[in-house]
């Protein structure tokens, strides 16, 4: 829990966290992405962009394996309200409601899992309030590892594009598609 009575200035502020793949976080001070991790900003449309500087009170995605120490200095403060109307960061444990989304790994894909019952989100965590009824919303952007495959035109699976739109399974353009819950690079059949 992080609930200081008032803001303060620190010569050095540190936050240590264990990350196994990806984790959505928010921290109460500006920090620099450490050498053993990659940081990404996430916008309300769930698009990701790499960042070197992590702004205070702004949800971000951290990619790493093992312990990561985020270090910064300057103003350290508590911010109690959601960061946007879609992405919300917390500094104290809160109860998530049915329908809120949290980052998770499902069927070989990172994305946002819709909560089907109340659960608890810990301090420095991030949740989403999406206008969706989908049980799983894939993470957007070219951040995650992508496998390369050649799709046969005769194969008629439900295929999603990177924006989550359904495709008939006959790709006409090269690009990233979600097939069987996995992000793949599609090369059209000639």
């Amino acid at each position: 829990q992080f609930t200081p009575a008032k803001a303060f200035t620190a010569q050095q502020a540190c936050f240590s966290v264990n990350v196994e793949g990806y984790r959505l976080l928010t921290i109460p001070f500006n920090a620099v992405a450490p050498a053993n991790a990659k940081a990404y900003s996430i916008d309300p449309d769930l698009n990701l962009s790499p960042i070197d500087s992590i702004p205070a009170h702004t949800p971000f995605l951290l990619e790493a394996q093992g312990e990561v120490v985020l270090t910064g200095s300057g103003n350290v403060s508590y911010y109690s309200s959601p960061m946007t109307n879609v992405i919300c960061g917390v500094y104290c444990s809160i109860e998530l409601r049915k329908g809120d989304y949290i980052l998770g790994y499902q069927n070989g894909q990172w994305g946002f899992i819709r909560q089907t019952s109340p659960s608890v989100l810990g301090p420095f965590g991030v949740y989403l309030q999406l206008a969706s009824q989908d049980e799983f919303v894939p993470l957007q952007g070219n951040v995650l590892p992508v496998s390369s495959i050649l799709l046969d035109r005769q194969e008629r699976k439900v295929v999603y594009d990177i924006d989550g739109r359904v495709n008939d399974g006959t790709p006409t353009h090269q690009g990233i598609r979600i097939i069987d819950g996995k992000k793949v690079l599609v090369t059209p059949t000639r």
Side-chain angles (χ1 to χ4, degrees), residues 96-110:
L96 296 177
R97 298 182 316 258
K98 181 179 176 180
D100 289 338
Y101 286 82
I102 59 170
L103 182 68
Y105 189 74
Q106 181 175 299
N107 299 325
Q109 170 85 32
W110 282 93

Side-chain angles (χ1 to χ4, degrees), residues 14-82:
C14 294
F15 177 76
S16 178
V17 63
N18 191 40
V19 180
E20 297 303 325
Y22 295 89
R23 188 154 176 189
L24 272 175
L25 295 166
T26 189
I27 56 176
F29 56 89
N30 294 327
V32 175
N36 68 334
K38 293 181 183 174
Y40 304 91
S41 65
I42 181 168
D43 70 22
D45 293 324
L46 309 184
N47 295 307
L48 299 169
S49 300
I51 55 174
D52 292 325
S53 297
I54 301 166
H57 315 298
T58 303
F60 65 98
L61 181 71
L62 193 61
E63 177 186 7
Q65 289 295 326
E67 185 178 20
V68 175
V69 178
L70 301 169
T71 306
S73 61
N75 291 331
V76 179
S77 63
Y78 176 83
Y79 190 77
S80 62
S81 62

Side-chain angles (χ1 to χ4, degrees), residues 2 26 66 73 75-76 81 88 102 111 134 144 146-147 186:
F2 178 76
T26 189
S73 61
N75 291 331
V76 179
S81 62
C88 308
I102 59 170
D134 294 339
L144 307 177
V146 177
S147 335
V186 174

Side-chain angles (χ1 to χ4, degrees), residues 80-166:
S80 62
S81 62
M83 306 310 133
T84 71
N85 59 349
V86 174
I87 305 169
C88 308
V90 299
Y91 293 124
C92 298
S93 294
I94 65 161
E95 186 171 320
L96 296 177
R97 298 182 316 258
K98 181 179 176 180
D100 289 338
Y101 286 82
I102 59 170
L103 182 68
Y105 189 74
Q106 181 175 299
N107 299 325
Q109 170 85 32
W110 282 93
F112 304 101
I113 299 172
R114 188 170 192 265
Q115 301 301 286
T116 57
S117 60
S119 61
V120 175
L121 179 67
F124 307 98
V126 175
Y127 68 99
L128 288 78
Q129 296 178 325
L130 303 177
S132 174
Q133 295 299 311
D134 294 339
E135 296 300 316
F136 184 77
V137 177
L139 195 57
Q140 304 294 313
N142 295 324
V143 173
L144 307 177
V146 177
S147 335
S148 181
I149 67 162
L150 182 63
L151 234 163
D152 184 346
R153 285 185 186 268
Q154 276 47 341
E155 198 173 8
R156 297 290 180 192
K157 295 181 180 182
V158 177
V159 177
Y160 298 90
D161 67 13
I162 196 69
D163 294 321
R165 296 177 296 230
V166 175

